[in-house]
Amino acid sequence: MGDPQPRRVEVRIIVEFARIAGMIVLALVQVTLMPVIGGIPVPLVLLGLLCWLLVRIEMQGTLARTALALRLALYGGVALDFLTAMALGSHALALMLAILLAALGCGRLRVEMLVLAIPALAGAVLVYEVVLALIYHSTTTALEWQPYAAKVLVPAIALAVLVGMPLYLMLRWRLRS
Amino acid sequence: MRDFIDNAPQLRTTISNEAGGRRLGWHAAMLLSVALGLLFADLRGWLQPAHSLVEQMLAPSTTRLTHLHDTMWDAGLGLFAWQQVEQENIALRQQISQLQAELVLREQAVVENARLREQLAIQEQRPWSLIGAEVTVRTPDVARRVMTISRGAADGLVAGMAVVGQTGTGPVALIGVVEAVNERTASVLLTTDFGNRLSVRVVHQGDSTLALMQGQWQRGSRLRLEQAEQDSLLQAGAIVVSAGLTGKLAFDLPLASVPEGVPIGVIDAATNDGNDRYADVRPYADPDQVRYVWVILSRDE
């Protein structure tokens, strides 16, 4: 059977590649299969990662899985950047900041996660879209923030929460059972 | 670092302490640095070849998946549709589409003093060399209005070419401009994006004026006209077509010229804000809904 240590490294590499492949598939689903409602796309990669992390934080009572979520966010973000016309790193940066801030916020508050999930989802989507808009603002065209916030960000957050909550509840039920 | 991830349950007692927090901090800082590094390198153009290559490799998958999405969407809609009504609806839509297309062409014909030219003659006057392209990736987030299409430099596309499409009952109309070109794919900046500005001609009751059109998605709307030479022509119902002046006026834009006479939309409402008059435009073709587009390669004079 050989030395178990090299096999462990192999397993790690395989698991890591599986994670990368999984995030590429999730990104592909986001940009192709997910419906665009009223011109607003659903940020599936963000919602999937965040809901999974929220359930993990709730189950383990720690932020231990945040590091893995950040790494997955990097994979998913780079995949999204490759699939779209955005500069490489844009989605990765937005995803990681959104997930990190949401996780830190949830980790610090001693409140039932079911109650925290909605503000966590809303806050994460807000951070995600604002970071992407800032990149657009600084690299392409200056935005007018007030109408952008009122007429684009708010509907985007509402839609993300509407889609994210059932996803969170489903993952919560699945992982806890 | 690996143990930190693999043995998470064992870290429950340690993650909340200073060492665990510091470890997470380092991990986050490292990954954020990678993202920032990628962003910096790509904005400098260093990663463009890799970007193009991967995009090209993924294009077949994205095309098939987008087809699948459209098929599923149609199937879902079909469940609620009454077959006979649907067929009648399709026939009527085609008729309306033809009539609207004729209307646009006739209005323009009046402005150009062509005097009762027939539709065929108008088409002969504006023969565009087109190439069809499938939409492979629709806009993935709310920050920008862009799409990726299945044609690239290998098909003769260059940045600045006009992209037209058709939705519903409207005529074939401008939906965006080619922004960046890879070997087999291209990204299209949609007309509704805030960064998209074009010179247009407003046609109303036999008269016309030039104006500037800008996308309004990031402001919560579609298209807006402003800086018209004759404000009085900005009235509901007026037809908007491209003027083809963007290149000639040398705007500081990545967008090159778009041929004149490409239908864009119709004015919904005009507003006076004290000093200026502006108008909201309803596009003939909804850029978010098109599935197949045509790129205007050239205009044969």
Side-chain angles (χ1 to χ4, degrees):
Chain A
M1 297 295 285
D3 185 6
Q5 191 59 29
R7 199 174 63 180
R8 186 166 163 73
V9 172
E10 285 166 17
V11 170
R12 285 179 180 180
I13 291 170
I14 289 168
V15 167
E16 208 57 29
F17 272 110
R19 284 172 178 158
I20 292 172
M23 294 315 297
I24 290 172
V25 170
L26 202 59
L28 267 171
V29 171
Q30 176 175 327
V31 301
T32 56
L33 293 179
M34 291 302 286
V36 177
I37 300 161
I40 299 172
V42 177
L44 184 68
V45 175
L46 172 66
L47 295 180
L49 277 176
L50 187 63
C51 290
W52 172 81
L53 182 61
L54 292 180
V55 177
R56 286 294 180 189
I57 291 174
E58 185 182 12
M59 286 169 63
Q60 299 178 350
T62 74
L63 298 178
R65 287 285 172 172
T66 308
L68 174 58
L70 288 176
R71 213 163 65 241
L72 293 176
L74 179 67
Y75 301 153
V78 172
L80 279 175
D81 293 329
F82 272 123
L83 286 165
T84 65
M86 291 287 275
L88 275 180
S90 309
H91 283 96
L93 190 65
L95 277 172
M96 284 194 288
L97 281 174
I99 283 170
L100 183 65
L101 293 176
L104 289 177
C106 291
R108 284 182 181 278
L109 295 171
R110 296 277 172 244
V111 183
E112 174 65 32
M113 188 59 81
L114 205 55
V115 179
L116 268 183
I118 291 178
L121 282 168
V125 174
L126 176 68
V127 172
Y128 173 76
E129 298 295 0
V130 165
V131 171
L132 286 175
L134 275 171
I135 293 169
Y136 174 85
H137 180 83
S138 54
T139 59
T140 310
T141 303
L143 285 176
E144 290 175 22
W145 290 98
Q146 197 178 345
Y148 182 73
K151 293 175 178 171
V152 179
L153 279 182
V154 171
I157 291 168
L159 178 67
V161 172
L162 275 176
V163 176
M165 273 314 284
L167 181 64
Y168 166 72
L169 292 172
M170 195 179 71
L171 275 174
R172 186 173 186 260
W173 168 75
R174 181 75 187 86
L175 292 174
R176 286 173 75 123
S177 65
Chain B
M1 188 60 73
R2 182 69 218 174
D3 290 338
F4 174 73
I5 294 157
D6 283 340
N7 304 321
Q10 296 166 17
L11 291 168
R12 285 180 190 184
T13 54
T14 58
I15 188 69
S16 58
N17 67 25
E18 201 178 326
R22 202 180 302 135
R23 205 176 294 178
L24 176 60
W26 277 112
H27 199 116
M30 188 182 71
L31 293 175
L32 287 170
S33 304
V34 171
L36 281 170
L38 282 173
L39 189 60
F40 178 78
D42 201 36
L43 290 175
R44 297 264 167 185
W46 298 338
L47 299 176
Q48 194 52 42
H51 204 151
S52 303
L53 185 69
V54 175
E55 201 173 317
Q56 196 177 319
M57 284 164 59
L58 291 170
S61 307
T62 54
T63 305
R64 281 194 205 101
L65 285 167
T66 305
H67 268 305
L68 180 64
H69 167 269
D70 293 342
T71 308
M72 290 192 307
W73 192 252
D74 288 343
L77 289 176
L79 291 174
F80 302 101
W82 191 12
Q83 198 175 1
Q84 193 180 350
V85 175
E86 197 177 49
Q87 283 172 352
E88 230 174 279
N89 195 15
I90 290 168
L92 287 170
R93 278 168 179 263
Q94 283 172 347
Q95 278 184 3
I96 294 169
S97 174
Q98 283 174 356
L99 289 171
Q100 283 198 333
E102 282 176 22
L103 183 66
V104 172
L105 290 171
R106 286 185 186 193
E107 284 277 4
Q108 288 174 246
V110 169
V111 174
E112 292 165 15
N113 198 21
R115 291 181 186 178
L116 303 173
R117 284 179 297 180
E118 292 182 2
Q119 187 179 336
L120 184 61
I122 299 169
Q123 286 171 340
E124 281 174 356
Q125 194 185 7
R126 297 198 182 108
W128 295 329
S129 175
L130 301 172
I131 185 167
E134 293 186 66
V135 177
T136 59
V137 176
R138 294 199 179 88
T139 190
D141 46 62
V142 297
R144 296 197 75 194
R145 307 314 285 172
V146 288
M147 64 166 58
T148 307
I149 58 173
S150 61
R151 299 282 188 181
D155 304 295
L157 267 64
V158 294
M161 285 179 168
V163 181
V164 295
Q166 187 175 28
T167 55
T169 59
V172 172
L174 186 73
I175 59 144
V177 178
V178 174
E179 185 188 42
V181 182
N182 296 319
E183 189 62 16
R184 298 278 172 196
T185 60
S187 65
V188 177
L189 185 68
L190 302 182
T191 49
T192 47
D193 189 276
F194 193 55
N196 204 337
R197 273 173 285 185
L198 286 172
S199 56
V200 296
R201 185 173 291 280
V202 181
V203 183
H204 186 61
Q205 293 179 344
D207 205 353
S208 79
T209 185
L210 290 173
L212 187 67
M213 186 188 76
Q214 185 172 21
Q216 296 293 305
W217 163 256
Q218 287 87 346
R219 282 173 164 176
S221 184
R222 289 296 180 90
L223 302 169
R224 177 173 288 184
L225 286 181
E226 48 198 9
Q227 298 177 30
E229 285 180 348
Q230 294 178 58
D231 283 352
S232 59
L233 288 184
L234 298 188
Q235 290 189 15
I239 287 167
V240 181
V241 298
S242 64
L245 297 177
T246 306
K248 289 177 191 172
L249 293 177
F251 285 133
D252 185 19
L253 298 169
L255 314 173
S257 59
V258 171
E260 62 178 312
V262 184
I264 294 172
V266 62
I267 291 181
D268 251 349
T271 312
N272 272 319
D273 68 355
N275 298 321
D276 291 320
R277 188 173 169 85
Y278 61 87
D280 292 320
V281 177
R282 186 177 71 247
Y284 285 125
D286 183 352
D288 292 326
Q289 300 297 325
V290 292
R291 298 171 179 183
Y292 196 85
V293 296
W294 295 270
V295 182
I296 301 177
L297 291 175
S298 65
R299 183 192 161 112
D300 306 324
E301 298 295 347

Short mmCIF file of all heavy atoms in Angstrom, two decimals, chain A residues 12 18 28-29 32 37 45 54 59 85 104 114 148:
data_model
loop_
_atom_site.label_atom_id
_atom_site.label_comp_id
_atom_site.label_asym_id
_atom_site.label_seq_id
_atom_site.Cartn_x
_atom_site.Cartn_y
_atom_site.Cartn_z
N ARG A 12 -5.32 15.23 -0.87
CA ARG A 12 -5.52 16.68 -0.71
C ARG A 12 -5.60 17.37 -2.07
O ARG A 12 -6.43 18.24 -2.30
CB ARG A 12 -4.35 17.28 0.08
CG ARG A 12 -4.40 16.99 1.54
CD ARG A 12 -3.20 17.62 2.19
NE ARG A 12 -3.18 17.38 3.62
CZ ARG A 12 -2.23 17.83 4.42
NH1 ARG A 12 -1.23 18.53 3.92
NH2 ARG A 12 -2.26 17.59 5.70
N ALA A 18 -11.20 18.98 -7.02
CA ALA A 18 -12.65 18.78 -7.03
C ALA A 18 -13.35 20.08 -6.61
O ALA A 18 -14.39 20.46 -7.16
CB ALA A 18 -13.03 17.65 -6.08
N LEU A 28 -20.49 28.54 -13.87
CA LEU A 28 -21.13 28.31 -15.18
C LEU A 28 -22.65 28.35 -15.05
O LEU A 28 -23.34 28.94 -15.88
CB LEU A 28 -20.72 26.93 -15.71
CG LEU A 28 -19.51 26.88 -16.64
CD1 LEU A 28 -19.11 25.43 -16.89
CD2 LEU A 28 -19.81 27.57 -17.95
N VAL A 29 -23.15 27.72 -13.99
CA VAL A 29 -24.60 27.72 -13.77
C VAL A 29 -25.09 29.16 -13.56
O VAL A 29 -26.12 29.56 -14.10
CB VAL A 29 -24.97 26.83 -12.56
CG1 VAL A 29 -26.44 27.01 -12.19
CG2 VAL A 29 -24.69 25.37 -12.88
N THR A 32 -25.15 31.06 -16.96
CA THR A 32 -25.89 30.51 -18.11
C THR A 32 -27.30 30.06 -17.74
O THR A 32 -28.25 30.37 -18.44
CB THR A 32 -25.15 29.32 -18.73
OG1 THR A 32 -24.92 28.33 -17.72
CG2 THR A 32 -23.82 29.74 -19.33
N ILE A 37 -33.92 38.14 -13.60
CA ILE A 37 -35.27 38.64 -13.30
C ILE A 37 -35.26 40.16 -13.27
O ILE A 37 -34.58 40.76 -12.45
CB ILE A 37 -35.76 38.06 -11.95
CG1 ILE A 37 -35.79 36.53 -12.05
CG2 ILE A 37 -37.14 38.59 -11.60
CD1 ILE A 37 -35.80 35.82 -10.73
N VAL A 45 -23.09 32.00 -6.91
CA VAL A 45 -21.83 31.61 -6.26
C VAL A 45 -21.77 32.21 -4.85
O VAL A 45 -21.46 31.52 -3.87
CB VAL A 45 -20.61 32.05 -7.10
CG1 VAL A 45 -19.32 31.74 -6.37
CG2 VAL A 45 -20.63 31.35 -8.45
N LEU A 54 -22.75 29.96 6.64
CA LEU A 54 -23.61 30.31 7.77
C LEU A 54 -24.06 29.05 8.51
O LEU A 54 -24.10 29.03 9.75
CB LEU A 54 -24.84 31.10 7.28
CG LEU A 54 -24.57 32.50 6.74
CD1 LEU A 54 -25.87 33.16 6.31
CD2 LEU A 54 -23.87 33.38 7.77
N MET A 59 -23.47 25.39 13.11
CA MET A 59 -23.27 24.03 13.61
C MET A 59 -22.05 23.91 14.50
O MET A 59 -22.05 23.22 15.51
CB MET A 59 -23.14 23.04 12.43
CG MET A 59 -24.46 22.76 11.72
SD MET A 59 -24.20 21.88 10.19
CE MET A 59 -23.48 20.37 10.78
N ALA A 85 -16.85 39.55 -18.89
CA ALA A 85 -15.91 40.54 -19.43
C ALA A 85 -15.22 41.34 -18.33
O ALA A 85 -14.54 42.31 -18.63
CB ALA A 85 -16.67 41.48 -20.36
N LEU A 104 -17.53 37.40 9.76
CA LEU A 104 -17.05 38.08 10.97
C LEU A 104 -18.22 38.69 11.74
O LEU A 104 -18.28 38.62 12.97
CB LEU A 104 -16.04 39.16 10.60
CG LEU A 104 -14.68 38.65 10.11
CD1 LEU A 104 -13.78 39.81 9.71
CD2 LEU A 104 -13.99 37.80 11.17
N LEU A 114 -30.64 31.74 12.47
CA LEU A 114 -31.83 31.86 11.62
C LEU A 114 -32.26 33.33 11.51
O LEU A 114 -32.72 33.79 10.47
CB LEU A 114 -32.96 31.02 12.21
CG LEU A 114 -34.04 30.53 11.25
CD1 LEU A 114 -33.46 29.75 10.10
CD2 LEU A 114 -35.07 29.69 12.00
N TYR A 148 -28.10 54.65 -8.33
CA TYR A 148 -27.63 53.26 -8.44
C TYR A 148 -28.05 52.45 -7.21
O TYR A 148 -28.52 51.33 -7.31
CB TYR A 148 -26.11 53.25 -8.60
CG TYR A 148 -25.55 51.86 -8.77
CD1 TYR A 148 -25.72 51.16 -9.95
CD2 TYR A 148 -24.85 51.24 -7.74
CE1 TYR A 148 -25.23 49.88 -10.10
CE2 TYR A 148 -24.35 49.96 -7.88
CZ TYR A 148 -24.53 49.29 -9.07
OH TYR A 148 -24.05 48.01 -9.21
#
